[in-house]
Amino acid sequence: MTAVTTTTAVPAAQAGEIPQVRRRRRLSPGRRLPAARLIGPLVLLALWAGASAAHTLDTGAVPAPWTVLRTAGRLWSDGTLPTDVLTSLERAGYGFAIGLVAGVLLALAAGLSRTGEALIDGTVQLNRAIPTLGLIPLFILWLGIGETFKVAIIAIVVYIPIYLNTHAALSGIDSRYVELAEVQGLTRLAFVRQIVVPGALPGFFVGLRLGVTGSWLGLVVLEQINATSGLGYLMFQAQNYGQTDVILVGLLIYGVFGLVSDSAVRLIERRVLSWRRTLSS
Amino acid sequence: MAPHTEQLTRSAVRLRGLTRSFEGRTVLDGIDLDLPAGQFTALLGHSGSGKSTLLRAIAGLDHGVAGDGRLTAPRRVSVVFQDSRLLPWRRVLDNVLLGLDGKDAADRGRSALAEVGLAGRERAWPGELSGGEAQRAALARSLVREPELLLADEPFGALDALTRIKMHHLLRELWQRHRPSVLLVTHDVDEAIVLADRVLVLDRGRIGLDLTIDRPHPRSYREPVLGEYRERLLAALGVTEDHT
């Protein structure tokens, strides 16, 4: 007889033994697959390539991946793509930077003083209620159709989530830590630096990620509506000439930018909030 | 060991007619109390008897609470709370040094951590500490400032029984070495008897009983003499024990 102790082989009562413990059915999804977030997009890409190779796709509507790549190469080497990408990056960058600074400063002012809260919080909530893209006509009249109004719209799209999440995190700081700061005799500056800012960082990063995504979203809309350069303009022109491959190049670049900037924020977040990993692991 | 009469001459804390009330409900009703410098005092009372209110008043933490009376306390006061209240985003040593500056601050922090048995854990995150270790770190944070008065608000209330006994020894040991005045707020009669040289019972906003426990340290829960103190304290708290 082999001494294998499978739990199901012999009914315990029959064998006159104490039944062995059987592992419970696992209800959590289990271990994560390696590079899990890339698998979905890669499958999609493979399907696209396969369908193109089998000629089941209308190349006028959906050109093959290699056609898109070739178009991207051509646009890059003739200089149109680098200029457009740079213009778009510049707009998104400026708008994002201004929105970031404004969101953080306003959140600090509203979170640290009652006067600031009274002046700022309601105003921002009001601003939030107005769809930012609805401000475009007004901003064009005020600021002209140049770069300023585009940067301004992106800044507004960015500052709102950063403000909201940072402010929520600030007001959510445990009052027990405030009491501790009083007991330890911290100055107001030390209190802000050592308790308020680190305590609000998790919320700030949530806002930052939303803001980054928002800056790209704003950019796409702005460049499609009225622009004379930039990625959106490139795509708008391509629409007029029926160049689906150029449109796909634009979309691809937007997608890559969005993904890269989001990953960058995540990376910074993991670095800065390294103390949280010890809690969750 | 004899009581430290030479140290008990100066008052560290002096309360005269201290009252505090919340929304018209009187919590502290004209308390007169002197805590001599260097004395280890425990403050007992039911939950809601105003123990914490009194401690917070002495610590100067009761913003916006109505009341009057005279209150003097030393300049260097440390507070240990029931929760360790370590900032999760600062390493243990940086937590100990919170609000402290000066060139030798880090060295003092390190030796305070060594004193509470946490040498080598300076770089740990608070989330990595056990409950007892976290409370040790909190003790180190309060001691590193060399307080003249140490206020402790049920500091061992959240610890398991075994850890609590170890912490009792540690606190008494640290007190012996540094000699701050200690006011330990607790609802645990045994804890008060084992640790303190004087036990106050707070009852309906006044000091209902002021008992000096003149017994040598370290004390054990099992000492029969302490049973008498226990009964008197329980009686003052309105609890009668069923003797069988």
Side-chain angles (χ1 to χ4, degrees):
Chain A
M1 199 189 93
T2 50
V4 179
T5 50
T6 44
T7 48
T8 46
V10 184
Q14 231 174 11
E17 291 169 356
I18 301 161
Q20 213 184 349
V21 172
R22 194 188 300 203
R23 291 249 173 102
R24 304 276 176 192
R25 183 191 302 277
R26 187 212 286 276
L27 294 175
S28 77
R31 196 180 298 223
R32 193 162 275 168
L33 301 172
R37 266 192 293 162
L38 286 177
I39 291 176
L42 285 178
V43 168
L44 205 64
L45 191 65
L47 284 176
W48 179 19
S52 301
H55 300 292
T56 46
L57 288 177
D58 173 12
T59 49
V62 189
W66 41 88
T67 318
V68 175
L69 274 183
R70 211 175 305 133
T71 311
R74 180 171 52 78
L75 289 171
W76 187 266
S77 50
D78 74 8
T80 32
L81 198 54
T83 326
D84 285 329
V85 166
L86 225 62
T87 317
S88 294
L89 271 179
E90 206 172 303
R91 281 172 191 151
Y94 276 132
F96 178 74
I98 294 170
L100 173 65
V101 172
V104 170
L105 288 183
L106 288 173
L108 280 176
L112 292 177
S113 95
R114 292 291 174 214
T115 321
E117 187 177 28
L119 287 174
I120 295 166
D121 197 51
T123 318
V124 176
Q125 299 293 347
L126 183 72
N127 188 181
R128 186 172 80 112
I130 301 169
T132 309
L133 299 178
L135 292 172
I136 291 176
L138 194 62
F139 271 50
I140 292 178
L141 289 180
W142 284 351
L143 301 170
I145 203 157
E147 291 303 292
T148 324
F149 103 88
K150 296 191 188 73
V151 171
I153 293 282
I154 293 174
I156 291 178
V157 171
V158 170
Y159 103 93
I160 287 175
I162 291 182
Y163 169 86
L164 288 176
N165 287 284
T166 311
H167 182 247
L170 278 172
S171 20
I173 286 178
D174 202 324
S175 63
R176 297 174 313 142
Y177 293 145
V178 182
E179 197 175 80
L180 175 70
E182 291 170 3
V183 165
Q184 301 292 106
L186 294 193
T187 61
R188 184 155 266 271
L189 184 70
F191 168 62
V192 170
R193 226 162 38 88
Q194 302 180 11
I195 292 179
V196 173
V197 169
L201 271 181
F204 163 74
F205 274 109
V206 174
L208 192 65
R209 285 181 59 192
L210 290 170
V212 168
T213 322
S215 69
W216 292 115
L217 191 74
L219 188 73
V220 176
V221 176
L222 285 168
E223 293 192 331
Q224 308 255 341
I225 294 178
N226 34 48
T228 51
S229 63
L231 273 178
Y233 172 74
L234 182 81
M235 292 159 69
F236 192 67
Q237 291 294 95
Q239 183 205 328
N240 289 340
Y241 299 108
Q243 299 165 310
T244 38
D245 50 344
V246 176
I247 295 177
L248 281 177
V249 169
L251 286 179
L252 213 65
I253 293 176
Y254 275 141
V256 169
F257 280 168
L259 214 63
V260 168
S261 50
D262 189 59
S263 307
V265 174
R266 266 173 199 255
L267 195 74
I268 299 170
E269 183 180 10
R270 288 229 331 234
R271 280 279 173 93
V272 174
L273 301 183
S274 56
W275 56 269
R276 289 181 117 201
R277 241 180 311 166
T278 60
L279 295 181
S280 56
S281 64
Chain B
M1 196 197 287
H4 323 283
T5 38
E6 73 285 354
Q7 292 207 2
L8 301 186
T9 46
R10 203 164 49 82
S11 269
V13 176
R14 176 176 297 231
L15 311 181
R16 290 293 176 269
L18 192 78
T19 63
R20 289 290 184 266
S21 57
F22 292 99
E23 290 159 7
R25 194 173 61 88
T26 304
V27 178
L28 300 181
D29 188 12
I31 291 187
D32 296 319
L33 178 66
D34 286 278
L35 297 182
Q39 191 181 51
F40 198 131
T41 310
L43 178 64
L44 274 173
H46 291 285
S47 53
S49 62
K51 307 189 292 286
S52 291
T53 307
L54 180 57
L55 180 133
R56 294 171 63 83
I58 299 173
L61 285 174
D62 52 350
H63 315 291
V65 178
D68 65 319
R70 281 182 47 77
L71 162 60
T72 55
R75 224 162 37 84
R76 292 202 308 277
V77 180
S78 285
V79 183
V80 183
F81 302 96
Q82 180 169 5
D83 58 306
S84 64
R85 219 164 281 200
L86 300 172
L87 300 173
W89 49 81
R90 306 191 99 199
R91 294 179 191 274
V92 169
L93 179 61
D94 294 328
N95 261 293
V96 170
L97 298 179
L98 187 70
L100 206 67
D101 41 32
K103 278 193 211 82
D104 60 337
D107 287 331
R108 281 165 58 199
R110 261 184 275 276
S111 62
L113 277 172
E115 248 190 294
V116 299
L118 285 179
R121 304 302 304 271
E122 291 87 354
R123 303 266 308 148
W125 294 108
E128 298 168 332
L129 300 183
S130 69
E133 285 174 326
Q135 206 56 327
R136 280 165 192 268
L139 264 180
R141 181 180 59 202
S142 63
L143 280 174
V144 77
R145 317 170 68 82
E146 286 161 18
E148 296 161 77
L149 172 64
L150 179 67
L151 300 169
D153 192 359
E154 308 210 13
F156 312 126
L159 301 178
D160 63 88
L162 294 177
T163 311
R164 198 178 307 154
I165 292 172
K166 281 192 205 160
M167 292 296 284
H168 286 166
H169 289 304
L170 177 65
L171 178 62
R172 188 72 201 184
E173 208 180 284
L174 293 169
W175 171 78
Q176 214 109 46
R177 210 172 308 149
H178 299 273
R179 282 299 155 83
S181 313
V182 173
L183 182 64
L184 170 77
V185 166
T186 179
H187 59 248
D188 183 342
V189 175
D190 290 324
E191 183 170 282
I193 295 173
V194 164
L195 283 174
D197 297 316
R198 178 185 180 194
V199 182
L200 307 168
V201 174
L202 197 60
D203 185 28
R204 273 162 287 177
R206 291 172 170 279
I207 304 290
L209 179 67
D210 186 344
L211 192 65
T212 304
I213 302 188
D214 192 5
R215 301 289 307 161
H217 284 273
R219 298 175 189 151
S220 149
Y221 293 106
R222 305 211 165 278
E223 276 177 58
V225 199
L226 295 180
E228 293 166 24
Y229 292 111
R230 194 162 187 274
E231 271 171 46
R232 288 187 63 189
L233 288 170
L234 285 172
L237 288 163
V239 181
T240 46
E241 267 189 312
D242 186 22
H243 292 280
T244 46

